[in-house]
mmCIF file of all heavy atoms in Angstrom:
data_model
loop_
_atom_site.group_PDB
_atom_site.id
_atom_site.type_symbol
_atom_site.label_atom_id
_atom_site.label_comp_id
_atom_site.label_asym_id
_atom_site.label_seq_id
_atom_site.Cartn_x
_atom_site.Cartn_y
_atom_site.Cartn_z
ATOM 1 N N ASN A 1074 -35.366 92.547 -59.951
ATOM 2 C CA ASN A 1074 -36.405 93.033 -60.861
ATOM 3 C C ASN A 1074 -37.683 92.195 -60.782
ATOM 4 O O ASN A 1074 -38.593 92.380 -61.590
ATOM 5 C CB ASN A 1074 -35.891 93.050 -62.304
ATOM 6 C CG ASN A 1074 -34.879 94.163 -62.526
ATOM 7 O OD1 ASN A 1074 -35.187 95.331 -62.318
ATOM 8 N ND2 ASN A 1074 -33.660 93.806 -62.889
ATOM 9 N N LEU A 1075 -37.735 91.318 -59.818
ATOM 10 C CA LEU A 1075 -38.934 90.500 -59.632
ATOM 11 C C LEU A 1075 -40.050 91.372 -59.065
ATOM 12 O O LEU A 1075 -39.892 91.996 -58.011
ATOM 13 C CB LEU A 1075 -38.625 89.338 -58.679
ATOM 14 C CG LEU A 1075 -39.757 88.351 -58.431
ATOM 15 C CD1 LEU A 1075 -40.077 87.557 -59.697
ATOM 16 C CD2 LEU A 1075 -39.393 87.395 -57.298
ATOM 17 N N ILE A 1076 -41.179 91.410 -59.767
ATOM 18 C CA ILE A 1076 -42.294 92.250 -59.314
ATOM 19 C C ILE A 1076 -43.548 91.440 -59.004
ATOM 20 O O ILE A 1076 -44.461 91.943 -58.356
ATOM 21 C CB ILE A 1076 -42.640 93.334 -60.353
ATOM 22 C CG1 ILE A 1076 -42.994 92.703 -61.699
ATOM 23 C CG2 ILE A 1076 -41.497 94.322 -60.490
ATOM 24 C CD1 ILE A 1076 -43.467 93.700 -62.737
ATOM 25 N N LYS A 1077 -43.566 90.169 -59.439
ATOM 26 C CA LYS A 1077 -44.779 89.385 -59.220
ATOM 27 C C LYS A 1077 -44.433 87.919 -58.964
ATOM 28 O O LYS A 1077 -43.634 87.329 -59.680
ATOM 29 C CB LYS A 1077 -45.724 89.493 -60.418
ATOM 30 C CG LYS A 1077 -47.063 88.784 -60.195
ATOM 31 C CD LYS A 1077 -48.022 88.999 -61.358
ATOM 32 C CE LYS A 1077 -49.358 88.314 -61.097
ATOM 33 N NZ LYS A 1077 -50.306 88.489 -62.230
ATOM 34 N N VAL A 1078 -45.084 87.379 -57.949
ATOM 35 C CA VAL A 1078 -44.986 85.953 -57.634
ATOM 36 C C VAL A 1078 -46.388 85.377 -57.710
ATOM 37 O O VAL A 1078 -47.327 85.921 -57.111
ATOM 38 C CB VAL A 1078 -44.383 85.732 -56.227
ATOM 39 C CG1 VAL A 1078 -44.402 84.256 -55.859
ATOM 40 C CG2 VAL A 1078 -42.952 86.275 -56.170
ATOM 41 N N HIS A 1079 -46.523 84.295 -58.414
ATOM 42 C CA HIS A 1079 -47.863 83.726 -58.621
ATOM 43 C C HIS A 1079 -48.480 83.271 -57.296
ATOM 44 O O HIS A 1079 -47.799 82.765 -56.393
ATOM 45 C CB HIS A 1079 -47.780 82.533 -59.579
ATOM 46 C CG HIS A 1079 -49.111 82.109 -60.107
ATOM 47 N ND1 HIS A 1079 -49.913 81.183 -59.458
ATOM 48 C CD2 HIS A 1079 -49.806 82.490 -61.217
ATOM 49 C CE1 HIS A 1079 -51.028 80.998 -60.152
ATOM 50 N NE2 HIS A 1079 -50.988 81.781 -61.221
ATOM 51 N N ASP A 1080 -49.805 83.451 -57.210
ATOM 52 C CA ASP A 1080 -50.524 83.117 -55.977
ATOM 53 C C ASP A 1080 -50.328 81.668 -55.556
ATOM 54 O O ASP A 1080 -50.426 81.343 -54.364
ATOM 55 C CB ASP A 1080 -52.025 83.377 -56.153
ATOM 56 C CG ASP A 1080 -52.338 84.858 -56.353
ATOM 57 O OD1 ASP A 1080 -51.393 85.668 -56.294
ATOM 58 O OD2 ASP A 1080 -53.520 85.183 -56.571
ATOM 59 N N SER A 1081 -50.044 80.775 -56.498
ATOM 60 C CA SER A 1081 -49.919 79.353 -56.186
ATOM 61 C C SER A 1081 -48.776 79.068 -55.218
ATOM 62 O O SER A 1081 -48.794 78.048 -54.515
ATOM 63 C CB SER A 1081 -49.694 78.550 -57.476
ATOM 64 O OG SER A 1081 -48.501 78.967 -58.131
ATOM 65 N N VAL A 1082 -47.799 79.987 -55.150
ATOM 66 C CA VAL A 1082 -46.679 79.795 -54.226
ATOM 67 C C VAL A 1082 -47.170 79.765 -52.780
ATOM 68 O O VAL A 1082 -46.557 79.129 -51.918
ATOM 69 C CB VAL A 1082 -45.628 80.907 -54.424
ATOM 70 C CG1 VAL A 1082 -44.561 80.873 -53.353
ATOM 71 C CG2 VAL A 1082 -44.986 80.777 -55.803
ATOM 72 N N GLY A 1083 -48.286 80.412 -52.509
ATOM 73 C CA GLY A 1083 -48.832 80.415 -51.155
ATOM 74 C C GLY A 1083 -49.555 79.152 -50.770
ATOM 75 O O GLY A 1083 -50.007 79.033 -49.617
ATOM 76 N N PHE A 1084 -49.645 78.191 -51.682
ATOM 77 C CA PHE A 1084 -50.429 76.981 -51.403
ATOM 78 C C PHE A 1084 -49.669 75.712 -51.792
ATOM 79 O O PHE A 1084 -50.269 74.745 -52.267
ATOM 80 C CB PHE A 1084 -51.777 77.049 -52.132
ATOM 81 C CG PHE A 1084 -52.645 78.186 -51.670
ATOM 82 C CD1 PHE A 1084 -52.574 79.431 -52.279
ATOM 83 C CD2 PHE A 1084 -53.499 78.018 -50.592
ATOM 84 C CE1 PHE A 1084 -53.361 80.486 -51.847
ATOM 85 C CE2 PHE A 1084 -54.296 79.072 -50.156
ATOM 86 C CZ PHE A 1084 -54.223 80.309 -50.775
ATOM 87 N N LEU A 1085 -48.367 75.717 -51.590
ATOM 88 C CA LEU A 1085 -47.541 74.538 -51.873
ATOM 89 C C LEU A 1085 -47.436 73.706 -50.602
ATOM 90 O O LEU A 1085 -46.745 74.070 -49.651
ATOM 91 C CB LEU A 1085 -46.156 74.969 -52.364
ATOM 92 C CG LEU A 1085 -46.138 75.732 -53.695
ATOM 93 C CD1 LEU A 1085 -44.744 76.294 -53.969
ATOM 94 C CD2 LEU A 1085 -46.584 74.825 -54.841
ATOM 95 N N ASP A 1086 -48.108 72.577 -50.583
ATOM 96 C CA ASP A 1086 -48.251 71.798 -49.350
ATOM 97 C C ASP A 1086 -46.936 71.291 -48.781
ATOM 98 O O ASP A 1086 -46.826 71.074 -47.572
ATOM 99 C CB ASP A 1086 -49.181 70.603 -49.593
ATOM 100 C CG ASP A 1086 -50.621 71.033 -49.823
ATOM 101 O OD1 ASP A 1086 -50.949 72.169 -49.433
ATOM 102 O OD2 ASP A 1086 -51.405 70.249 -50.390
ATOM 103 N N ASN A 1087 -45.938 71.080 -49.636
ATOM 104 C CA ASN A 1087 -44.695 70.471 -49.164
ATOM 105 C C ASN A 1087 -43.546 71.468 -49.001
ATOM 106 O O ASN A 1087 -42.430 71.079 -48.662
ATOM 107 C CB ASN A 1087 -44.256 69.365 -50.131
ATOM 108 C CG ASN A 1087 -45.204 68.188 -50.123
ATOM 109 O OD1 ASN A 1087 -45.286 67.448 -49.156
ATOM 110 N ND2 ASN A 1087 -45.952 68.017 -51.206
ATOM 111 N N LEU A 1088 -43.807 72.758 -49.229
ATOM 112 C CA LEU A 1088 -42.736 73.753 -49.172
ATOM 113 C C LEU A 1088 -42.232 73.916 -47.731
ATOM 114 O O LEU A 1088 -43.007 74.204 -46.817
ATOM 115 C CB LEU A 1088 -43.235 75.091 -49.706
ATOM 116 C CG LEU A 1088 -42.160 76.128 -50.009
ATOM 117 C CD1 LEU A 1088 -41.266 75.659 -51.157
ATOM 118 C CD2 LEU A 1088 -42.783 77.478 -50.345
ATOM 119 N N LEU A 1089 -40.917 73.747 -47.554
ATOM 120 C CA LEU A 1089 -40.282 73.891 -46.242
ATOM 121 C C LEU A 1089 -39.545 75.213 -46.096
ATOM 122 O O LEU A 1089 -39.464 75.769 -44.997
ATOM 123 C CB LEU A 1089 -39.270 72.749 -46.007
ATOM 124 C CG LEU A 1089 -39.771 71.320 -46.108
ATOM 125 C CD1 LEU A 1089 -38.606 70.349 -45.982
ATOM 126 C CD2 LEU A 1089 -40.798 71.040 -45.029
ATOM 127 N N PHE A 1090 -38.998 75.708 -47.200
ATOM 128 C CA PHE A 1090 -38.091 76.856 -47.160
ATOM 129 C C PHE A 1090 -38.472 77.829 -48.269
ATOM 130 O O PHE A 1090 -38.562 77.445 -49.432
ATOM 131 C CB PHE A 1090 -36.654 76.357 -47.353
ATOM 132 C CG PHE A 1090 -35.603 77.429 -47.382
ATOM 133 C CD1 PHE A 1090 -34.859 77.715 -46.244
ATOM 134 C CD2 PHE A 1090 -35.332 78.140 -48.542
ATOM 135 C CE1 PHE A 1090 -33.876 78.694 -46.270
ATOM 136 C CE2 PHE A 1090 -34.355 79.120 -48.577
ATOM 137 C CZ PHE A 1090 -33.622 79.400 -47.434
ATOM 138 N N LEU A 1091 -38.689 79.088 -47.898
ATOM 139 C CA LEU A 1091 -39.019 80.124 -48.885
ATOM 140 C C LEU A 1091 -38.219 81.371 -48.539
ATOM 141 O O LEU A 1091 -38.337 81.929 -47.435
ATOM 142 C CB LEU A 1091 -40.515 80.434 -48.858
ATOM 143 C CG LEU A 1091 -40.998 81.600 -49.738
ATOM 144 C CD1 LEU A 1091 -40.597 81.403 -51.192
ATOM 145 C CD2 LEU A 1091 -42.512 81.759 -49.620
ATOM 146 N N SER A 1092 -37.393 81.818 -49.478
ATOM 147 C CA SER A 1092 -36.554 82.986 -49.243
ATOM 148 C C SER A 1092 -36.610 83.915 -50.456
ATOM 149 O O SER A 1092 -36.476 83.465 -51.595
ATOM 150 C CB SER A 1092 -35.107 82.557 -48.963
ATOM 151 O OG SER A 1092 -34.285 83.678 -48.719
ATOM 152 N N ALA A 1093 -36.802 85.194 -50.173
ATOM 153 C CA ALA A 1093 -36.810 86.214 -51.231
ATOM 154 C C ALA A 1093 -36.038 87.435 -50.754
ATOM 155 O O ALA A 1093 -36.469 88.574 -50.934
ATOM 156 C CB ALA A 1093 -38.236 86.574 -51.622
ATOM 157 N N ILE A 1094 -34.890 87.218 -50.156
ATOM 158 C CA ILE A 1094 -34.067 88.302 -49.626
ATOM 159 C C ILE A 1094 -33.683 89.268 -50.756
ATOM 160 O O ILE A 1094 -33.283 88.850 -51.836
ATOM 161 C CB ILE A 1094 -32.784 87.743 -48.979
ATOM 162 C CG1 ILE A 1094 -33.128 86.823 -47.800
ATOM 163 C CG2 ILE A 1094 -31.866 88.863 -48.510
ATOM 164 C CD1 ILE A 1094 -31.931 86.071 -47.248
ATOM 165 N N GLY A 1095 -33.811 90.542 -50.490
ATOM 166 C CA GLY A 1095 -33.309 91.544 -51.426
ATOM 167 C C GLY A 1095 -34.085 91.677 -52.718
ATOM 168 O O GLY A 1095 -33.550 92.202 -53.704
#
Side-chain angles (χ1 to χ4, degrees):
N1074 288 302
L1075 183 67
I1076 58 175
K1077 185 176 181 181
V1078 175
H1079 194 271
D1080 295 357
S1081 60
V1082 171
F1084 297 90
L1085 296 171
D1086 291 340
N1087 293 291
L1088 194 65
L1089 304 174
F1090 178 99
L1091 174 56
S1092 181
I1094 298 171

